[in-house]
Amino acid sequence: IFPESKVPARLSLSLVGAKDAADPFFVSIEGRTAFLEMSVSGKLKSLDASSDFNLTSRISTQDVSKLSELVHTDIPITGPVWIEVGLSRDASLEEGFLNSTVKVNAEQIIAEGAGYLSWPLRKGARMTLHLETASLGNLRRWLPGEWLDPGRVSVDAAIEMLSPNEQNLNFSLQLGNNDLAGSAQMTFDLPRAIKTRGIGEQKIGLVGAFSSTRLNLMEIFPAPKPDEKAAEREGALFSSEPLVLDWLARLNVDLSFQASELITRKFKSENLSTVINIVDGVLKADSDSGQFSGGSFSLDFGIDSRAKPYKTDVHFVIDGLVVNQIPALQGAKLPLQGDVDLDIEISSRGDSLKE
């Protein structure tokens, strides 16, 4: 199979039929090298390419780097790996569909998936995924940016194709003592995105609702690094860097988010409710909180990216904020104590936050 890789191996194949032509063939394939074991077992209704079948394949290795050398492909995993893949097809399925299962155990990560799939993906295809690991650090090589380690990670997700351009997603995520769950309907060409390995310039629609009982971002993301350009701004409150908002034109979004407890370095909020809408390059966000660092707040924000300078409207109200209840300021000696009330309303045009 890999003629450039000269690895001593042992391979055995067994195909057993039956006297009755209606009975299936039984298949067994086993292979072994010094670092790899693999097997395929199951049943074939016939030897025709369109035959019904039920097959299970297993691969295990103690050293993935050796497997990478064998197949001349960089596999982004180290150490031992165990993989099981099941595929089946029978007369009860729609034409072109397969039932599939996948189980992976690698680097203290356990992942399981099941699917009712076709290619290209079309209406009716669906897939579920479960992933768990004892530490977020085990997933760092696949995650962008920097992350802390809040503890055990558990992810469950289910996606269904409503059409080639519409998908329905349900998910739940647990990061230590933090959780996030939701459902959404997405609109974009998923088969095309898979083929091109990216969404590109497609327009994306997203309608959904997310919720959390507790979400402490201070446990998940590290403190921001000092702004290297702060000295250049000489104490300016807002950045003069031009805003880049072209991406808004490719989005149609209607999302709601509710959190019983949301903690960031700037505030702690309880019973937070937020709605975000993006239509034709115009973003609007409405948010309010029953409890906000000892007080309460509401925010109405809008920005129109269709023409420069961008038109922005902000109405921000805080009632009874307690300064020493801001998470980043707890324990600090502050010249300002007590409660703070704010009512700010701004309408402006500009190409940067400073303008």
Side-chain angles (χ1 to χ4, degrees):
I1 299 174
F2 307 104
E4 297 180 8
S5 302
K6 297 180 180 180
V7 177
R10 184 177 67 189
L11 182 67
S12 64
L13 169 64
S14 172
L15 180 64
V16 179
K19 293 182 179 180
D20 191 335
D23 290 338
F25 291 88
F26 290 87
V27 179
S28 177
I29 303 173
E30 294 186 356
R32 181 189 295 268
T33 73
F35 57 86
L36 176 72
E37 293 183 6
M38 61 83 67
S39 67
V40 178
S41 60
K43 298 183 292 184
L44 295 173
K45 187 174 182 180
S46 73
L47 299 181
D48 185 89
S50 60
S51 165
D52 294 347
F53 59 84
N54 189 335
L55 299 173
T56 300
S57 174
R58 296 180 180 88
I59 299 175
S60 63
T61 178
Q62 295 301 313
D63 189 349
V64 174
S65 64
K66 297 290 187 180
L67 180 59
S68 295
E69 293 175 8
L70 178 66
V71 299
H72 304 291
T73 301
D74 183 24
I75 301 175
I77 303 176
T78 60
V81 171
W82 179 87
I83 302 172
E84 179 183 281
V85 178
L87 295 173
S88 66
R89 178 176 64 199
D90 60 47
S92 69
L93 305 182
E94 294 181 63
E95 184 177 354
F97 278 84
L98 297 174
N99 280 321
S100 63
T101 59
V102 178
K103 298 179 181 179
V104 179
N105 192 329
E107 292 189 321
Q108 302 179 63
I109 301 168
I110 297 174
E112 297 182 0
Y116 178 63
L117 303 174
S118 67
W119 188 256
L121 291 172
R122 63 179 192 262
K123 181 179 179 180
R126 53 189 179 271
M127 182 173 61
T128 60
L129 170 69
H130 172 76
L131 182 148
E132 62 179 82
T133 182
S135 167
L136 188 60
N138 296 331
L139 301 173
R140 280 201 178 103
R141 69 175 63 208
W142 295 287
L143 298 175
E146 298 182 19
W147 301 71
L148 299 177
D149 190 358
R152 188 169 189 80
V153 179
S154 178
V155 181
D156 286 281
I159 185 169
E160 180 179 3
M161 298 291 294
L162 304 180
S163 75
N165 297 320
E166 291 182 276
Q167 305 85 38
N168 194 67
L169 171 68
N170 292 276
F171 75 93
S172 63
L173 169 66
Q174 190 83 31
L175 292 175
N177 293 324
N178 303 279
D179 63 84
L180 181 66
S183 61
Q185 185 170 319
M186 303 174 292
T187 305
F188 70 98
D189 191 337
L190 180 57
R192 174 185 166 190
I194 294 174
K195 185 176 181 179
T196 60
R197 298 184 180 182
I199 294 176
E201 297 299 316
Q202 288 191 61
K203 197 161 187 174
I204 303 169
L206 185 61
V207 177
F210 304 148
S211 64
S212 172
T213 59
R214 181 182 185 272
L215 192 59
N216 188 342
L217 301 184
M218 295 174 66
E219 296 177 357
I220 301 172
F221 301 105
K225 297 178 180 179
D227 188 349
E228 297 177 357
K229 297 186 178 181
E232 300 176 12
R233 296 201 297 264
E234 298 181 351
L237 183 61
F238 297 110
S239 171
S240 59
E241 291 289 322
L243 294 171
V244 179
L245 300 177
D246 297 345
W247 53 274
L248 286 175
R250 295 193 292 113
L251 296 178
N252 280 322
V253 173
D254 185 1
L255 288 179
S256 66
F257 172 67
Q258 293 185 327
S260 299
E261 183 180 40
L262 175 65
I263 303 172
T264 75
R265 285 181 167 76
K266 297 183 182 294
F267 65 85
K268 177 181 178 180
S269 173
E270 295 181 1
N271 300 320
L272 174 70
S273 179
T274 300
V275 176
I276 299 173
N277 287 281
I278 303 174
V279 179
D280 296 331
V282 179
L283 182 152
K284 293 182 179 180
D286 299 319
S287 186
D288 63 73
S289 171
Q291 200 277 346
F292 180 75
S293 294
S296 62
F297 90 99
S298 66
L299 169 68
D300 295 326
F301 173 81
I303 186 166
D304 188 341
S305 70
R306 292 175 295 184
K308 294 184 178 181
Y310 302 125
K311 185 179 185 301
T312 305
D313 296 296
V314 181
H315 187 200
F316 186 45
V317 178
I318 294 179
D319 291 322
L321 179 142
V322 181
V323 176
N324 62 12
Q325 289 193 24
I326 297 174
L329 300 180
Q330 288 180 354
K333 294 182 179 180
L334 304 171
L336 181 65
Q337 299 291 338
D339 299 349
V340 176
D341 295 332
L342 290 174
D343 191 332
I344 301 172
E345 191 166 358
I346 300 173
S347 292
S348 64
R349 287 185 178 272
D351 294 335
S352 68
L353 292 176
K354 185 175 182 179
E355 292 181 8

